[in-house]
Amino acid sequence: MNMTGTDFFKLEPEQPDDGPAIETLLDLAFGVDRFEKSSYRLRENRAPISGLGLVLRRGEEVMGTIRFWQVSAGADHPALLLGPLAMHPDYQGVGGGQRLMREGLALAVSQGHELVFLVGDLPYYRKAGFRQVPPGQVRMPVPYDPARLLYQELRPGAFEGVSGLIQVPATG
Ligand SMILES: CC(C)(COP(=O)(O)OP(=O)(O)OC[C@H]1O[C@@H](n2cnc3c(N)ncnc32)[C@H](O)[C@@H]1OP(=O)(O)O)[C@@H](O)C(=O)NCCC(=O)NCCS
């Protein structure tokens, strides 16, 4: 069989016991100083939304990951925070990241989510439909580069009238 692109990966829901393999993958993809990043600081001590994480597997091994977190923009606009998105260094640039985003965002739509934010490089994420948040309209409560705060409407018009701080609701 002639496989191209990301065909040799299986895309699956993240399983509860994938945690350690995902941590190892994130160390490889981002380096161990990743905990300094603004999104990490916002998500500290919170869990991702279960049922919305996806992995790309080669055999049993996790080679790609995407996760989403429940946040609120301002006091009363529920939204998702996407991240981390990562591919194993040996498999970057073959379309895995875009595939994880395409499938992850489709899953989010199917679960009724309307708006998603992330902190990342616009040149990469614009290919998946993200746009820069107009500076100041929505802000992060941790140090960040406003040019990297991006959003995407999963329901047309969902970003209209949204403003304020992105907050992570307390869980449990
Ligand atoms: C960023 C990352 C998730 C992209 O996934 P990927 O599977 O390697 O990327 P894809 O194959 O889907 O897309 C590759 C394309 O994106 C481009 N690209 C990759 N990273 C980019 C970036 N930071 N800015 C702009 N373009 C980028 C590549 O040049 C390539 O372009 P081309 O299709 O024109 O050749 C992955 O490389 C990774 O894990 N990197 C390390 C961790 C990281 O930085 N994560 C992003 C968090 S903000």
Side-chain angles (χ1 to χ4, degrees):
M1 185 167 24
N2 185 14
M3 287 189 154
T4 57
T6 66
D7 291 353
F8 52 81
F9 292 124
K10 279 182 299 182
L11 183 123
E12 295 182 338
E14 179 185 329
Q15 299 300 312
D17 61 359
D18 284 330
I22 288 174
E23 292 304 311
T24 303
L25 173 59
L26 295 175
D27 284 346
L28 277 173
F30 286 98
V32 288
D33 59 353
R34 62 192 164 94
F35 297 99
E36 301 303 315
K37 287 173 169 285
S38 22
S39 301
Y40 269 92
R41 294 180 57 183
L42 188 64
R43 298 184 300 240
E44 226 163 29
N45 301 323
R46 310 280 191 226
I49 300 175
S50 70
L52 205 40
L54 296 173
V55 295
L56 285 178
R57 284 186 214 281
R58 181 152 206 198
E60 293 305 306
E61 282 192 77
V62 176
M63 294 302 177
T65 174
I66 188 170
R67 285 172 157 173
F68 294 87
W69 308 69
Q70 186 68 57
V71 296
S72 161
D76 51 6
H77 287 102
L80 298 174
L81 183 69
L82 186 164
L85 169 72
M87 286 298 298
H88 188 287
D90 289 349
Y91 295 100
Q92 291 177 0
V94 294
Q98 292 290 335
R99 182 174 166 196
L100 282 165
M101 259 194 298
R102 200 167 50 244
E103 301 285 344
L105 292 170
L107 189 58
V109 170
S110 77
Q111 295 182 9
H113 296 284
E114 300 191 346
L115 181 62
V116 54
F117 294 96
L118 66 78
V119 180
D121 294 333
L122 181 59
Y124 181 72
Y125 288 102
R126 86 154 51 95
K127 295 180 198 169
F130 283 86
R131 307 171 67 175
Q132 188 182 332
V133 168
Q137 180 175 342
V138 166
R139 290 165 285 117
M140 295 277 276
V142 291
Y144 71 106
D145 175 356
R148 291 170 54 81
L149 181 57
L150 313 180
Y151 77 98
Q152 180 169 172
E153 293 179 335
L154 303 180
R155 174 185 61 76
F159 190 54
E160 283 167 24
V162 174
S163 64
L165 272 188
I166 293 184
Q167 301 159 38
V168 187
T171 49

